[in-house]
């Protein structure tokens, strides 16, 4: 399969909240994407496992949804 499904979660500004709880800038995001499996595409030319751990820019289409935090 040359396409792969990406699912993830990202949180920001939690460290700043512990220092100043009166200013709440914490944000949470849910991430879903579809990307190209470069390991499989490039296997005939170079058999390297690096693309199992590294997602090259512009090889995926992300869909990000903010699930909590200020606007």
């Amino acid at each position: 399969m040359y396409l792969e499904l990406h699912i993830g979660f990202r949180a920001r500004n939690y460290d700043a909240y512990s220092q100043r709880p009166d200013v709440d800038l914490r944000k949470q995001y849910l991430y879903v994407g579809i990307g190209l499996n470069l390991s499989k595409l490039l296997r005939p030319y170079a058999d390297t496992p690096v693309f199992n751990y590294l997602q090259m820019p512009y090889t995926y289409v992300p869909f990000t949804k903010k699930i909590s935090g200020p606007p």
Side-chain angles (χ1 to χ4, degrees), residues 13-58:
N13 299 323
Y14 276 75
D15 192 35
Y17 180 74
S18 66
Q19 296 169 4
R20 289 208 50 201
D22 57 322
V23 180
D24 189 3
L25 298 175
R26 297 177 296 174
K27 298 177 185 174
Q28 297 177 353
Y29 300 92
L30 184 62
Y31 166 86
V32 177
I34 299 173
L36 291 174
N37 186 336
L38 290 180
S39 292
K40 192 160 221 156
L41 281 172
L42 298 176
R43 187 168 292 143
Y45 308 105
D47 192 15
T48 178
V50 72
F51 294 116
N52 290 331
Y53 308 101
L54 176 68
Q55 185 69 43
M56 298 300 293
Y58 309 110

